[in-house]
Amino acid sequence: MDNSGTVLMPGGVRDLLSGEARQKRELENNLLKLFQLWGYQEVVTPTFEYYDVLAPALGDLLPDQLYRFIDDRGQITVLRPDMTTPIARLVSARLIDKEFPQRLCYAANVFRRESHTGRQREYYQAGVELLGAEGPDADAEVISLAAESMKLGGVREFQITVGHVDVLAGVLQGAGFSTREYEQAEIALSKKDLVTWERLVADSHLSPERKQAFASLPYMHGGVEVLNQLAGLIQDEPARKGLASLCRVWEILSDYGFRDQVKIDLTLLRGLGYYTGLVFECYVNGVGYPVCGGGRYDELLAKFGYPCPATGFALTIDRVLEALDNQFPSFTDQIPDYFITGDDMGDVAGKAKELRENGFIVEVDITERPREDAIAYASRKGIPHILVMEK
Amino acid sequence: MKEDMITFALPKGRLLPLVTGILRDAGLFRVDMEKDGRKLIYQDEENNARYLICRAADVPTFVEYGAADLGVAGKDVILEQGKDICELADLGFGKCKFVVAVPAAKLELYRGGLSGYLAQHGQLRVATKFPRVAESYLRSRGLPGEVIKLSGNIELAPLVGLAEVIIDLVSTGRTLRENNLVAIDEITEATARLVANRVSYRVKYDRLYSFIEAIKNSR
């Protein structure tokens, strides 16, 4: 690598300078405090784990999206690409004797290789996992907590879109697609490729009215009225159950006061292949990617030998900061309340200790510069109180 | 800037007049381009919208990152870039297709398609401007082949032995004929598509929906 004067960094990672780092830390602390208020307990898992252990549970993340390396024993290890999988591993391996439901939370960085150089590859996330609880009440708790997290982050306007894997499957089954068409339809909807979707519906054997209803599926986007429209499109039992649970979730969210923020859109399909029921994403105007996402993953823990229903979400701290940056431009450095210089370091330190104990931010002059230079420095920095302790 | 303003990325070049035509018919694009035809951003106060003039290949990028809510991009560009954007409607114009072409003089060697050729010959090199499209074509047919990315004048490659075949975008087929190349397979057809940012599509749904409906109806 030719450095020739510049210090290089790999693509997709970045430094956080003091203002931004402080904002990130505060956000993480506040989120963890919020999660605790809802009864969630923080856990920490290792940054890297065995590839063979995590790989079967990583859904549709491709091996080349992972940072893999060989450890000193020749084992393939992987930097965690998300927190849900390591927590599923942790619960199955170590927490099955505890009473369920278990509520766990985290704030951690995750790593994904992206094909575009320059695209972000290290993300900070905070999230929760609710393990051992099935049913809409658990789903609603997790979505409400996600909404509270957005509010707490200071994001003024956000929207949560909710979908359901089983309801969508029921709708697609009702269209009488062949296996191949079914797969194409699923891919088209997940990519929001409505051109392909409309062509598949047009080529199907549905009656003209049914065709029209199916073609409008991607446009069924809104409140509880969408659930009524969907009822006409499904026949099978899991889908009916899914629809009923969506209704119930909608009611609970309304009780929590989030009726206006929540929209139903069945074509919401989250990338990771492990989702099994209700799924959701949060969006903020002006941020081009979802800020937060999650859902139910009832089959994931079974991959670690302990079948157990579960749901959760992860909020991407970097994107919340981006949303806040759009609202209040520019991060500022923290300015100390006091600057203390003096003839005797003992006096200075004593005064500083006293002020700090009272909660003030105190910067002590530790340089050998002339006094006027020290004072000029503190004024340039905008420190409101400058103390000079003379003998 | 009003909260619910819509930003629309338009491709400059041959598609632009067609796109602005459709938009005007839909009651959108209340903009006088004649007056200042070299601007990169046009405001449309009446519709609370603005229009960005982008390189055609950059439209998906503006849309993916959310710098634009909506855009018009060729399916060829969308396929090649594999960006995470919503594809809302086929606008029908700007039609072209991806084809596999070989020198007319060697057509005989390709009677059994590319796999037939590979059964007789050791290597298959494909020159193209669209490496992603080419790779997925080869992969989906289980053909081992080397994709050679060029920036233009792809037709040269098989004439001078840089590649056996080319994968290129054709609209009339004239360039192929002029260079004595024949298409032996058609990969897919491509037309202009109305695309949207994934987040805008949900957050600004009501506004976008009225745009989409107007555009679909005037198509």
Side-chain angles (χ1 to χ4, degrees):
Chain A
M1 205 182 294
D2 175 21
N3 284 348
S4 57
T6 1
V7 183
L8 300 178
M9 292 219 299
V13 296
R14 64 186 189 123
D15 297 317
L16 300 183
L17 299 185
S18 53
E20 204 179 354
R22 188 178 77 242
Q23 212 175 358
K24 165 184 167 287
R25 177 71 68 193
E26 278 171 12
L27 179 58
E28 284 172 348
N29 288 346
N30 291 339
L31 286 169
L32 287 172
K33 236 180 270 170
L34 172 72
F35 298 161
Q36 276 164 21
L37 285 179
W38 287 60
Y40 288 77
Q41 307 200 54
E42 185 180 355
V43 289
V44 175
T45 69
T47 308
F48 53 91
E49 300 206 31
Y50 284 135
Y51 174 73
D52 288 345
V53 174
L54 295 192
L58 287 173
D60 52 10
L61 268 181
L62 299 169
D64 55 3
Q65 286 177 278
L66 305 172
Y67 278 98
R68 284 173 299 176
F69 54 96
I70 311 266
D71 75 1
D72 52 355
R73 292 185 187 174
Q75 295 279 359
I76 303 174
T77 44
V78 54
L79 294 184
R80 59 182 174 220
D82 74 352
M83 279 299 289
T84 303
T85 317
I87 288 181
R89 192 265 311 145
L90 168 76
V91 170
S92 321
R94 306 189 50 186
L95 297 176
I96 51 177
D97 295 332
K98 284 207 169 190
E99 193 157 356
F100 284 89
Q102 294 192 36
R103 292 179 166 85
L104 302 177
C105 65
Y106 59 85
N109 47 353
V110 298
F111 309 86
R112 303 222 184 133
R113 257 191 159 108
E114 295 286 345
S115 51
H116 300 273
T117 47
R119 181 70 75 75
Q120 206 175 336
R121 292 166 177 220
E122 178 180 20
Y123 294 93
Y124 293 92
Q125 293 191 327
V128 305
E129 311 295 348
L130 172 50
L131 305 127
E134 33 188 5
D137 294 4
D139 292 323
E141 169 169 316
V142 165
I143 299 179
S144 307
L145 184 47
E148 289 289 356
S149 307
M150 300 291 286
K151 262 171 68 180
L152 175 120
V155 179
R156 272 198 303 250
E157 278 185 48
F158 62 91
Q159 185 189 305
I160 298 185
T161 298
V162 181
H164 199 295
V165 175
D166 291 342
V167 181
L168 180 65
V171 171
L172 292 183
Q173 244 123 46
F177 288 137
S178 69
T179 319
R180 193 176 141 69
E181 288 166 336
Y182 187 98
E183 275 169 23
Q184 287 178 332
E186 220 173 25
I187 293 171
L189 287 178
S190 72
K191 285 167 59 187
K192 275 274 172 199
D193 173 359
L194 307 191
V195 176
T196 303
W197 168 253
E198 279 166 27
R199 185 179 52 74
L200 284 166
V201 172
D203 294 348
S204 69
H205 304 294
L206 294 164
S207 68
E209 310 90 75
R210 301 268 293 161
K211 270 186 186 168
Q212 211 169 10
F214 274 89
S216 67
L217 180 73
Y219 299 101
M220 292 184 187
H221 180 281
V224 72
E225 73 282 359
V226 170
L227 298 174
N228 301 328
Q229 293 173 312
L230 285 170
L233 288 180
I234 54 172
Q235 277 133 15
D236 70 337
E237 197 43 41
R240 243 189 258 287
K241 238 177 103 183
L243 200 59
S245 83
L246 269 178
C247 279
R248 172 99 180 110
V249 166
W250 175 265
E251 284 164 17
I252 301 172
L253 289 171
S254 299
D255 292 341
Y256 273 113
F258 294 118
R259 180 190 283 267
D260 294 338
Q261 277 86 8
V262 179
K263 295 270 185 279
I264 290 159
D265 181 346
L266 263 206
T267 62
L268 177 78
L269 280 170
R270 298 199 19 88
L272 293 167
Y274 52 56
Y275 290 107
T276 54
L278 186 140
V279 288
F280 67 99
E281 283 183 347
C282 306
Y283 310 104
V284 177
N285 216 340
V287 179
Y289 298 89
V291 171
C292 167
R296 182 162 281 287
Y297 52 95
D298 287 345
E299 278 150 32
L300 182 63
L301 271 77
K303 303 233 162 89
F304 297 106
Y306 185 73
C308 172
T311 174
F313 73 81
L315 177 143
T316 305
I317 302 277
D318 312 70
R319 290 185 186 148
V320 178
L321 294 179
E322 188 188 334
L324 294 176
D325 192 34
N326 292 342
Q327 283 176 26
F328 323 100
S330 90
F331 299 103
T332 48
D333 280 352
Q334 191 160 38
I335 297 165
D337 302 304
Y338 284 90
F339 178 80
I340 313 180
T341 181
D343 298 328
D344 181 65
M345 197 56 195
D347 294 345
V348 170
K351 186 68 185 167
K353 181 168 187 275
E354 181 196 322
L355 287 166
R356 285 177 186 137
E357 278 168 1
N358 285 301
F360 293 107
I361 303 170
V362 181
E363 185 175 321
V364 163
D365 185 26
I366 32 72
T367 63
E368 305 252 323
R369 61 190 153 192
R371 181 145 307 153
E372 50 280 22
D373 288 1
I375 293 171
Y377 157 82
S379 337
R380 274 200 307 279
K381 221 170 154 182
I383 301 177
H385 305 286
I386 301 174
L387 297 185
V388 181
M389 315 229 3
E390 289 184 327
K391 272 243 177 307
Chain B
M1 179 173 132
K2 281 189 238 161
E3 278 280 300
D4 60 346
M5 183 167 75
I6 298 291
T7 303
F8 208 132
L10 305 179
K12 71 177 185 192
R14 73 195 166 93
L15 288 184
L16 188 59
L18 298 166
V19 177
T20 54
I22 279 202
L23 291 175
R24 284 211 174 89
D25 291 347
L28 305 168
F29 202 70
R30 297 286 186 221
V31 164
D32 186 4
M33 281 189 90
E34 299 290 302
K35 211 173 77 194
D36 30 25
R38 305 193 60 175
K39 287 210 309 193
L40 297 178
I41 301 184
Y42 292 92
Q43 295 286 344
D44 175 358
E45 306 291 344
E46 202 176 315
N47 289 301
N48 188 22
R50 62 177 176 178
Y51 302 87
L52 316 180
I53 309 299
C54 312
R55 285 282 296 266
D58 293 338
V59 168
T61 307
F62 277 85
V63 172
E64 185 186 29
Y65 280 84
D69 301 303
L70 284 173
V72 172
K75 180 69 179 175
D76 48 315
V77 175
I78 298 172
L79 278 174
E80 180 55 31
Q81 299 188 353
K83 290 263 189 323
D84 189 6
I85 50 179
C86 309
E87 204 177 312
L88 302 178
D90 185 348
L91 298 178
F93 54 75
K95 192 176 279 188
C96 49
K97 54 192 174 185
F98 282 110
V99 297
V100 184
V102 300
K106 296 189 176 161
L107 185 57
E108 198 52 40
L109 301 177
Y110 296 91
R111 284 270 169 255
L114 291 183
S115 54
Y117 177 84
L118 267 169
Q120 303 289 322
H121 299 79
Q123 69 174 353
L124 180 71
R125 293 166 304 175
V126 183
T128 185
K129 268 203 291 191
F130 306 93
R132 191 191 279 250
V133 170
E135 267 158 31
S136 86
Y137 173 79
L138 291 178
R139 215 177 25 238
S140 70
R141 280 163 180 71
L143 298 168
E146 183 183 350
V147 174
I148 299 175
K149 158 99 169 90
L150 297 177
S151 307
N153 296 359
I154 312 299
E155 302 76 17
L156 261 180
L159 305 181
V160 297
L162 173 61
E164 282 69 42
V165 306
I166 66 168
I167 287 181
D168 205 6
L169 202 56
V170 300
S171 46
T172 59
R174 208 179 98 198
T175 317
L176 287 186
R177 280 194 299 278
E178 283 175 358
N179 290 285
N180 298 315
L181 295 165
V182 234
I184 56 164
D185 196 6
E186 191 180 313
I187 301 177
T188 184
E189 216 172 58
T191 45
R193 303 288 160 95
L194 179 65
V195 298
N197 173 268
R198 235 159 83 71
V199 171
S200 302
Y201 181 76
R202 297 202 161 95
V203 176
K204 298 183 177 176
Y205 182 80
D206 296 334
R207 283 225 67 205
L208 285 192
Y209 185 70
S210 63
F211 264 65
I212 297 162
E213 281 300 286
I215 292 167
K216 277 183 155 179
N217 292 334
S218 75
R219 190 171 35 166

PDB file of all heavy atoms in Angstrom, chain A residues 320-337:
ATOM      1  N   VAL A 320     -30.343   7.321  12.408  1.00  0.00           N
ATOM      2  CA  VAL A 320     -31.035   8.278  13.279  1.00  0.00           C
ATOM      3  C   VAL A 320     -30.215   9.564  13.321  1.00  0.00           C
ATOM      4  O   VAL A 320     -30.751  10.673  13.216  1.00  0.00           O
ATOM      5  CB  VAL A 320     -31.219   7.722  14.701  1.00  0.00           C
ATOM      6  CG1 VAL A 320     -31.885   8.757  15.589  1.00  0.00           C
ATOM      7  CG2 VAL A 320     -32.042   6.449  14.676  1.00  0.00           C
ATOM      8  N   LEU A 321     -28.885   9.412  13.444  1.00  0.00           N
ATOM      9  CA  LEU A 321     -28.030  10.608  13.483  1.00  0.00           C
ATOM     10  C   LEU A 321     -28.150  11.377  12.167  1.00  0.00           C
ATOM     11  O   LEU A 321     -28.160  12.600  12.161  1.00  0.00           O
ATOM     12  CB  LEU A 321     -26.571  10.217  13.747  1.00  0.00           C
ATOM     13  CG  LEU A 321     -26.301   9.613  15.132  1.00  0.00           C
ATOM     14  CD1 LEU A 321     -24.838   9.241  15.278  1.00  0.00           C
ATOM     15  CD2 LEU A 321     -26.712  10.564  16.252  1.00  0.00           C
ATOM     16  N   GLU A 322     -28.263  10.633  11.065  1.00  0.00           N
ATOM     17  CA  GLU A 322     -28.426  11.295   9.760  1.00  0.00           C
ATOM     18  C   GLU A 322     -29.728  12.091   9.731  1.00  0.00           C
ATOM     19  O   GLU A 322     -29.770  13.226   9.282  1.00  0.00           O
ATOM     20  CB  GLU A 322     -28.413  10.240   8.653  1.00  0.00           C
ATOM     21  CG  GLU A 322     -28.378  10.815   7.248  1.00  0.00           C
ATOM     22  CD  GLU A 322     -28.560   9.738   6.176  1.00  0.00           C
ATOM     23  OE1 GLU A 322     -28.231   8.563   6.441  1.00  0.00           O
ATOM     24  OE2 GLU A 322     -29.033  10.087   5.075  1.00  0.00           O
ATOM     25  N   ALA A 323     -30.807  11.473  10.274  1.00  0.00           N
ATOM     26  CA  ALA A 323     -32.102  12.156  10.304  1.00  0.00           C
ATOM     27  C   ALA A 323     -32.017  13.400  11.178  1.00  0.00           C
ATOM     28  O   ALA A 323     -32.564  14.456  10.834  1.00  0.00           O
ATOM     29  CB  ALA A 323     -33.185  11.217  10.826  1.00  0.00           C
ATOM     30  N   LEU A 324     -31.313  13.287  12.295  1.00  0.00           N
ATOM     31  CA  LEU A 324     -31.185  14.440  13.189  1.00  0.00           C
ATOM     32  C   LEU A 324     -30.335  15.517  12.536  1.00  0.00           C
ATOM     33  O   LEU A 324     -30.597  16.706  12.676  1.00  0.00           O
ATOM     34  CB  LEU A 324     -30.535  14.014  14.511  1.00  0.00           C
ATOM     35  CG  LEU A 324     -31.362  13.064  15.358  1.00  0.00           C
ATOM     36  CD1 LEU A 324     -30.575  12.644  16.582  1.00  0.00           C
ATOM     37  CD2 LEU A 324     -32.673  13.713  15.773  1.00  0.00           C
ATOM     38  N   ASP A 325     -29.324  15.092  11.796  1.00  0.00           N
ATOM     39  CA  ASP A 325     -28.448  16.034  11.116  1.00  0.00           C
ATOM     40  C   ASP A 325     -29.240  16.846  10.107  1.00  0.00           C
ATOM     41  O   ASP A 325     -28.999  18.029   9.914  1.00  0.00           O
ATOM     42  CB  ASP A 325     -27.321  15.252  10.429  1.00  0.00           C
ATOM     43  CG  ASP A 325     -26.220  16.180   9.948  1.00  0.00           C
ATOM     44  OD1 ASP A 325     -25.980  17.191  10.636  1.00  0.00           O
ATOM     45  OD2 ASP A 325     -25.609  15.892   8.917  1.00  0.00           O
ATOM     46  N   ASN A 326     -30.241  16.189   9.461  1.00  0.00           N
ATOM     47  CA  ASN A 326     -31.093  16.923   8.527  1.00  0.00           C
ATOM     48  C   ASN A 326     -31.935  17.954   9.275  1.00  0.00           C
ATOM     49  O   ASN A 326     -32.272  19.008   8.740  1.00  0.00           O
ATOM     50  CB  ASN A 326     -32.020  15.965   7.769  1.00  0.00           C
ATOM     51  CG  ASN A 326     -31.240  15.078   6.827  1.00  0.00           C
ATOM     52  OD1 ASN A 326     -30.103  15.385   6.496  1.00  0.00           O
ATOM     53  ND2 ASN A 326     -31.850  13.984   6.397  1.00  0.00           N
ATOM     54  N   GLN A 327     -32.316  17.614  10.524  1.00  0.00           N
ATOM     55  CA  GLN A 327     -33.142  18.539  11.293  1.00  0.00           C
ATOM     56  C   GLN A 327     -32.326  19.676  11.897  1.00  0.00           C
ATOM     57  O   GLN A 327     -32.701  20.832  11.840  1.00  0.00           O
ATOM     58  CB  GLN A 327     -33.854  17.795  12.432  1.00  0.00           C
ATOM     59  CG  GLN A 327     -35.041  16.974  11.983  1.00  0.00           C
ATOM     60  CD  GLN A 327     -35.641  16.183  13.133  1.00  0.00           C
ATOM     61  OE1 GLN A 327     -35.519  16.550  14.287  1.00  0.00           O
ATOM     62  NE2 GLN A 327     -36.291  15.083  12.811  1.00  0.00           N
ATOM     63  N   PHE A 328     -31.210  19.330  12.531  1.00  0.00           N
ATOM     64  CA  PHE A 328     -30.349  20.356  13.141  1.00  0.00           C
ATOM     65  C   PHE A 328     -28.946  20.188  12.580  1.00  0.00           C
ATOM     66  O   PHE A 328     -28.203  19.334  13.058  1.00  0.00           O
ATOM     67  CB  PHE A 328     -30.204  20.175  14.665  1.00  0.00           C
ATOM     68  CG  PHE A 328     -31.424  19.717  15.360  1.00  0.00           C
ATOM     69  CD1 PHE A 328     -31.576  18.387  15.712  1.00  0.00           C
ATOM     70  CD2 PHE A 328     -32.421  20.620  15.699  1.00  0.00           C
ATOM     71  CE1 PHE A 328     -32.712  17.953  16.376  1.00  0.00           C
ATOM     72  CE2 PHE A 328     -33.546  20.186  16.363  1.00  0.00           C
ATOM     73  CZ  PHE A 328     -33.699  18.851  16.697  1.00  0.00           C
ATOM     74  N   PRO A 329     -28.600  20.956  11.567  1.00  0.00           N
ATOM     75  CA  PRO A 329     -27.313  20.746  10.931  1.00  0.00           C
ATOM     76  C   PRO A 329     -26.150  21.025  11.889  1.00  0.00           C
ATOM     77  O   PRO A 329     -26.278  21.835  12.808  1.00  0.00           O
ATOM     78  CB  PRO A 329     -27.311  21.738   9.777  1.00  0.00           C
ATOM     79  CG  PRO A 329     -28.712  22.215   9.658  1.00  0.00           C
ATOM     80  CD  PRO A 329     -29.349  22.050  10.997  1.00  0.00           C
ATOM     81  N   SER A 330     -25.055  20.356  11.658  1.00  0.00           N
ATOM     82  CA  SER A 330     -23.756  20.519  12.322  1.00  0.00           C
ATOM     83  C   SER A 330     -23.726  20.115  13.795  1.00  0.00           C
ATOM     84  O   SER A 330     -24.514  20.559  14.619  1.00  0.00           O
ATOM     85  CB  SER A 330     -23.211  21.949  12.168  1.00  0.00           C
ATOM     86  OG  SER A 330     -23.629  22.786  13.215  1.00  0.00           O
ATOM     87  N   PHE A 331     -22.794  19.247  14.083  1.00  0.00           N
ATOM     88  CA  PHE A 331     -22.551  18.839  15.462  1.00  0.00           C
ATOM     89  C   PHE A 331     -21.584  19.840  16.076  1.00  0.00           C
ATOM     90  O   PHE A 331     -20.707  20.344  15.409  1.00  0.00           O
ATOM     91  CB  PHE A 331     -21.890  17.459  15.493  1.00  0.00           C
ATOM     92  CG  PHE A 331     -22.737  16.413  14.871  1.00  0.00           C
ATOM     93  CD1 PHE A 331     -22.449  15.945  13.602  1.00  0.00           C
ATOM     94  CD2 PHE A 331     -23.836  15.900  15.539  1.00  0.00           C
ATOM     95  CE1 PHE A 331     -23.232  14.974  13.025  1.00  0.00           C
ATOM     96  CE2 PHE A 331     -24.615  14.923  14.959  1.00  0.00           C
ATOM     97  CZ  PHE A 331     -24.313  14.471  13.698  1.00  0.00           C
ATOM     98  N   THR A 332     -21.730  20.112  17.349  1.00  0.00           N
ATOM     99  CA  THR A 332     -20.797  21.042  17.972  1.00  0.00           C
ATOM    100  C   THR A 332     -20.007  20.316  19.043  1.00  0.00           C
ATOM    101  O   THR A 332     -20.488  19.375  19.668  1.00  0.00           O
ATOM    102  CB  THR A 332     -21.540  22.206  18.629  1.00  0.00           C
ATOM    103  OG1 THR A 332     -22.598  21.672  19.417  1.00  0.00           O
ATOM    104  CG2 THR A 332     -22.102  23.150  17.591  1.00  0.00           C
ATOM    105  N   ASP A 333     -18.771  20.806  19.253  1.00  0.00           N
ATOM    106  CA  ASP A 333     -17.962  20.263  20.339  1.00  0.00           C
ATOM    107  C   ASP A 333     -18.574  20.729  21.646  1.00  0.00           C
ATOM    108  O   ASP A 333     -19.211  21.775  21.719  1.00  0.00           O
ATOM    109  CB  ASP A 333     -16.529  20.802  20.234  1.00  0.00           C
ATOM    110  CG  ASP A 333     -15.741  20.043  19.189  1.00  0.00           C
ATOM    111  OD1 ASP A 333     -16.257  19.024  18.680  1.00  0.00           O
ATOM    112  OD2 ASP A 333     -14.631  20.474  18.867  1.00  0.00           O
ATOM    113  N   GLN A 334     -18.319  19.947  22.690  1.00  0.00           N
ATOM    114  CA  GLN A 334     -18.808  20.338  23.991  1.00  0.00           C
ATOM    115  C   GLN A 334     -17.864  21.396  24.569  1.00  0.00           C
ATOM    116  O   GLN A 334     -16.647  21.250  24.503  1.00  0.00           O
ATOM    117  CB  GLN A 334     -18.798  19.106  24.883  1.00  0.00           C
ATOM    118  CG  GLN A 334     -19.517  19.293  26.167  1.00  0.00           C
ATOM    119  CD  GLN A 334     -19.871  17.924  26.736  1.00  0.00           C
ATOM    120  OE1 GLN A 334     -19.082  16.981  26.635  1.00  0.00           O
ATOM    121  NE2 GLN A 334     -21.034  17.812  27.311  1.00  0.00           N
ATOM    122  N   ILE A 335     -18.411  22.476  25.100  1.00  0.00           N
ATOM    123  CA  ILE A 335     -17.569  23.533  25.665  1.00  0.00           C
ATOM    124  C   ILE A 335     -17.546  23.376  27.185  1.00  0.00           C
ATOM    125  O   ILE A 335     -18.600  23.299  27.815  1.00  0.00           O
ATOM    126  CB  ILE A 335     -18.100  24.927  25.272  1.00  0.00           C
ATOM    127  CG1 ILE A 335     -18.020  25.052  23.753  1.00  0.00           C
ATOM    128  CG2 ILE A 335     -17.300  26.033  25.944  1.00  0.00           C
ATOM    129  CD1 ILE A 335     -18.821  26.185  23.199  1.00  0.00           C
ATOM    130  N   PRO A 336     -16.345  23.335  27.802  1.00  0.00           N
ATOM    131  CA  PRO A 336     -16.275  23.199  29.260  1.00  0.00           C
ATOM    132  C   PRO A 336     -16.898  24.412  29.951  1.00  0.00           C
ATOM    133  O   PRO A 336     -16.979  25.495  29.369  1.00  0.00           O
ATOM    134  CB  PRO A 336     -14.772  23.128  29.544  1.00  0.00           C
ATOM    135  CG  PRO A 336     -14.132  22.807  28.246  1.00  0.00           C
ATOM    136  CD  PRO A 336     -15.013  23.363  27.185  1.00  0.00           C
ATOM    137  N   ASP A 337     -17.359  24.227  31.188  1.00  0.00           N
ATOM    138  CA  ASP A 337     -17.910  25.349  31.945  1.00  0.00           C
ATOM    139  C   ASP A 337     -16.787  26.201  32.537  1.00  0.00           C
ATOM    140  O   ASP A 337     -16.910  27.407  32.665  1.00  0.00           O
ATOM    141  CB  ASP A 337     -18.787  24.823  33.087  1.00  0.00           C
ATOM    142  CG  ASP A 337     -19.913  23.947  32.562  1.00  0.00           C
ATOM    143  OD1 ASP A 337     -20.676  24.435  31.708  1.00  0.00           O
ATOM    144  OD2 ASP A 337     -20.012  22.773  32.978  1.00  0.00           O
TER     145      ASP A 337
END
